[in-house]
Amino acid sequence: MKNKTYDIIVIGGGPSGMMAAGRAGELGAKVLLIEKNDRLGKKLSITGGRRCNITNAEFDNRIFLDNFPESKQFLFSPFSQFNVESTFEFFQGRGLPLIVEDRKRAFPKSEKAEDVCNVLIDYVEESFNVDVQLSTSVKSFIVEEGEIKGVHTPSGDFFAKKFVLATGGLAAPETGSTGEGLSMLATIGHAVKDPDPNLAPLKTNTKWVHGLSGASVDDMTLRYLQDGKIKLKVRGRLLFTHFGISGPLVINSAHEVKKLLKTGALIASVDLFPDDDFGSLDKRLLDLFETQKNKQLKTAMKELLQKKLSETVLRLVDESIVDVPVHSVTKDQRKLLVRTMKDLQFPITGTMGFEWSIVADGGVDPKEVDFKTMRSRLFSNLYLIGDTIDINRPSGGFSLQLCWTMGWIAGSDAAE
Ligand SMILES: Cc1cc2nc3c(=O)[nH]c(=O)nc-3n(C[C@H](O)[C@H](O)[C@H](O)COP(=O)(O)OP(=O)(O)OC[C@H]3O[C@@H](n4cnc5c(N)ncnc54)[C@H](O)[C@@H]3O)c2cc1C
């Protein structure tokens, strides 16, 4: 294979790279797919808790693209070529039925991310036009007279007419996306924003929050406060962890939280009873206390909150009331209990690192990519796809949909 010249070299065998290589091979181009791991799709196979949230089943392009507020204008053109419906057709047409769950999240019916991976590996292999070179890390581009001619790897140099860079961002670096692709782009003159974890859980240094690890609240309101003002408010499920808080809601607010942390200290305030105002929650407590008069307060409170959480809340109100009988709770203590349950505060100190993040902010500035073809605006024979491009989006299948769309378009255009 050494020194053979290809039509196209695809660097990175993740979802976007496999889609690009498979598509180009299907159209008859001679392709080399280079992957540094000893297998393709390592990150893909752990997505969605190994079930792979393959896309988001919103079939209206406009509504779908509302989830990309900062990059929507770039994405209309690619989505007019390959959209969510195309993804359904692609995978279902290849024998992988999809199911749709809450928040329109689509998964393979088999609930196995590995099956998604196998569909793509088959796609790469079926045309016999794609050579796959595993365990090979591309180190740099070979650029001559302003044009990319080849790539350097420890196994030798490889040459092609066109190149597709699909090396991913920095999230979950243990799966292979360690950022060399972005350094290579910066070296040849692309504007690359430093990666930063996004879609990541949040940290606090407050010990009682760490102590709640494993507890969850199905429906609460989480407000982020700065200088006493509400900067962001979200509602849904919250998970407490040994470092802070997590869950889709928290993960999806990480991007905004990072921006806020740059401007000052940030406090999280959790309202455990978002449907009750102070008065109605106080009334609920009074009713509860009336029926459970002689019980220990901590036992009675289990009617309202999970044990771990209720005991923590009681300790925050007053260490001494945890074990007292309900009838000895004073009015002031009860009122303070209501206030605490509606405004459980702790500081947010940052996001967890790349190893905890689902995607990373940063990468190539989208302005440097022609989204009609996915070509670099600096090098006409270079294509940039997937997480290498700096596009902020929520969790819910949106990241992989970008990979399918961009991979398909780059593969089609490069094979022309
Ligand atoms: C735990 C987790 C769960 C996720 N779940 C979901 C989900 O359910 N739904 C969803 O939409 N998104 C999910 N994501 C995000 C999604 O996985 C990514 O957006 C997607 O994998 C990006 O694909 P990619 O092709 O751009 O890059 P990657 O998947 O990162 O693949 C890049 C590939 O390039 C290879 N590579 C890197 N550098 C080189 C080099 N120098 N030479 C050769 N090869 C190289 C890497 O080894 C890697 O295989 C999840 C992410 C994580 C971390």
Side-chain angles (χ1 to χ4, degrees), residues 11-17 34-37 43 46-48 52-53 136-138 166-168 172 175-177 180 357-359 386-387 393 397-400 403:
I11 309 160
S16 65
I34 306 180
E35 165 56 52
K36 77 170 177 196
N37 290 325
K43 188 187 287 179
I46 59 159
T47 53
C52 185
N53 182 187
T136 303
S137 186
V138 172
T167 46
T175 61
S177 13
E180 299 106 278
S357 73
I358 289 178
V359 298
D387 281 3
R393 71 270 182 178
F398 298 99
S399 301
L400 286 176
C403 291

Side-chain angles (χ1 to χ4, degrees), residues 356-372:
W356 285 83
S357 73
I358 289 178
V359 298
D361 278 338
V364 176
D365 187 334
K367 291 198 193 83
E368 295 193 348
V369 180
D370 170 9
F371 279 80
K372 223 183 278 165

Side-chain angles (χ1 to χ4, degrees), residues 69-134:
E70 295 145 23
S71 333
K72 180 157 121 172
Q73 74 273 25
F74 302 112
L75 297 174
F76 277 110
S77 169
F79 275 78
S80 68
Q81 301 175 58
F82 192 98
N83 61 12
V84 176
E85 198 177 335
S86 323
T87 299
F88 268 74
E89 279 167 14
F90 179 85
F91 286 100
Q92 304 211 121
R94 286 164 188 279
L96 189 79
L98 304 184
I99 50 164
V100 179
E101 296 191 356
D102 59 310
R103 295 188 285 124
K104 299 193 180 176
R105 292 170 309 143
F107 294 86
K109 197 171 170 206
S110 65
E111 306 204 55
K112 289 195 188 113
E114 210 59 63
D115 290 348
V116 179
C117 231
N118 288 335
V119 167
L120 286 159
I121 292 171
D122 287 349
Y123 188 44
V124 164
E125 289 175 349
E126 73 191 12
S127 67
F128 299 105
N129 282 329
V130 185
D131 287 341
V132 179
Q133 171 93 9
L134 296 173

Side-chain angles (χ1 to χ4, degrees), residues 309-321:
L309 189 54
S310 68
E311 290 189 11
T312 301
V313 168
L314 290 178
R315 257 185 233 109
L316 288 172
V317 170
D318 185 341
E319 193 77 43
S320 69
I321 62 169

Side-chain angles (χ1 to χ4, degrees), residues 301-347:
M301 285 296 291
K302 280 196 279 184
E303 299 266 317
L304 287 182
L305 291 171
Q306 282 176 16
K307 181 169 179 275
K308 213 173 189 179
L309 189 54
S310 68
E311 290 189 11
T312 301
V313 168
L314 290 178
R315 257 185 233 109
L316 288 172
V317 170
D318 185 341
E319 193 77 43
S320 69
I321 62 169
V322 181
D323 295 312
V324 300
V326 167
H327 62 74
S328 67
V329 177
T330 66
K331 183 176 168 190
D332 284 349
Q333 285 170 331
R334 194 189 72 235
K335 296 271 183 204
L336 185 54
L337 180 53
V338 172
R339 279 207 294 280
T340 308
M341 290 194 293
K342 292 218 40 90
D343 186 16
L344 206 50
Q345 290 201 1
F346 50 91

Side-chain angles (χ1 to χ4, degrees), residues 170-174 195-198 352-361:
L170 244 85
E174 72 282 2
D196 197 17
N198 188 7
M352 291 298 278
F354 288 114
E355 65 283 11
W356 285 83
S357 73
I358 289 178
V359 298
D361 278 338

